[in-house]
Amino acid sequence: RKCEWAIIVTFEVCLLSNQMRRRGPGVGGIKKNNVIKTALKEKGAELQEDKIQHAEEIISTFKTQLEDFARKYKQQIRSDPYFRMQFQTMCEKIGVDPLASSKGVWGELLGFGDFYYELGVRIVEMCIVTRNSNGGLISLKELVKRLNIPTKPSISEDDIKRSVIRLKKLGGGFGLVSVGGTQMVASVPFELNRDHTEVLALADVNGGHISATQIASRESIQVNSGQAEGSIVGLGWQVDRAERALRVLSRDGLAWVDEQTPNQEKDYWFPSLWLGLKSETLD
């Protein structure tokens, strides 16, 4: 009988214990957990602040070392395009923009602001001078060749890219576009969209010219230009889409229209592409 009572009491104790566990830790336990959570949160914030402060100290030290480096190699940075590009890449990695202004330490050390301001003016002038012959589209390679003169510091494609990016902010249609594998500077009063650049890329491999039928074709077409050999495959567009893109490009002078073709179809010539191919052949 005593054994039965002992079993009953043990069972009741187990039930009570389980009920207490299901009800949670109680008010005291909750308060204790909140204190622990608050302490962990404060410690995490403290560690995060220490990390940020440490990172800022490292960047500050690196900026100082960068200024010392700039003083030491000032002439090489100004005169050597490749050295200048590497230096600017190093600056960008720590958030320093030596081109931002002609004022301040970078302007005093290197005159970067003046250098790129002057280069920007020369790029604008060159684009205006050549617009009648290329329609406002000129390759970086051609621009470097025209702008590198003995009386001025040597410049690179990277210098032109950086300058054009800043010119774009001023408006006026300046920007960088990729035509096939060629980077070009555009100075046209409208923004080239994807249709325009795809047409230009196709014309580029076709010797600098293209027709609406060639663009619309889904089949291989023999290239009939002395500048290029082989065949191309059109974009498979509707003809009206191809004609619309070609009209926009010819309207603003990027393309010249040849209406005296053997098949009586308009052929659109892009002087910026054709002259570039011709220049490469002569080189």
Side-chain angles (χ1 to χ4, degrees), residues 43 51 68 76 169 191 212 246:
K43 189 63 179 176
K51 286 181 179 179
D68 293 339
Q76 288 95 321
K169 295 176 183 177
E191 187 170 352
L246 289 168

Side-chain angles (χ1 to χ4, degrees), residues 79-188:
S79 62
D80 186 334
Y82 181 76
F83 197 94
R84 183 164 57 246
M85 181 184 70
Q86 295 297 317
F87 175 75
Q88 289 183 137
T89 301
M90 186 166 54
C91 288
E92 287 169 356
K93 288 181 178 179
I94 62 165
V96 173
D97 186 3
L99 311 183
S101 172
S102 58
K103 299 177 181 179
V105 64
W106 298 109
E108 294 170 4
L109 282 175
L110 303 171
F112 265 1
D114 293 335
F115 175 84
Y116 282 96
Y117 171 78
E118 182 186 343
L119 178 57
V121 171
R122 292 175 63 203
I123 289 171
V124 171
E125 289 175 346
M126 188 58 66
C127 287
I128 292 172
V129 168
T130 59
R131 185 170 290 169
N132 285 338
S133 62
N134 60 31
L137 196 63
I138 185 169
S139 70
L140 284 177
K141 183 178 178 181
E142 179 67 18
L143 206 47
V144 167
K145 188 187 298 184
R146 287 176 176 268
L147 292 175
N148 266 323
I149 55 178
T151 57
K152 298 287 185 180
S154 296
I155 61 170
S156 65
E157 291 187 8
D158 182 75
D159 290 326
I160 292 176
K161 286 180 184 178
R162 293 176 188 276
S163 191
V164 170
I165 287 170
R166 281 156 178 78
L167 285 174
K168 187 176 181 180
K169 295 176 183 177
L170 302 177
F174 283 90
L176 294 168
V177 294
S178 181
V179 177
T182 305
Q183 283 257 288
M184 308 192 83
V185 175
S187 56
V188 291

Side-chain angles (χ1 to χ4, degrees), residues 8-24:
I8 292 170
V9 170
T10 301
F11 181 72
E12 292 291 342
V13 169
C14 288
L15 285 176
L16 183 61
S17 177
N18 286 334
Q19 288 174 359
M20 289 179 68
R21 277 198 294 271
R22 282 197 297 270
R23 289 173 185 167

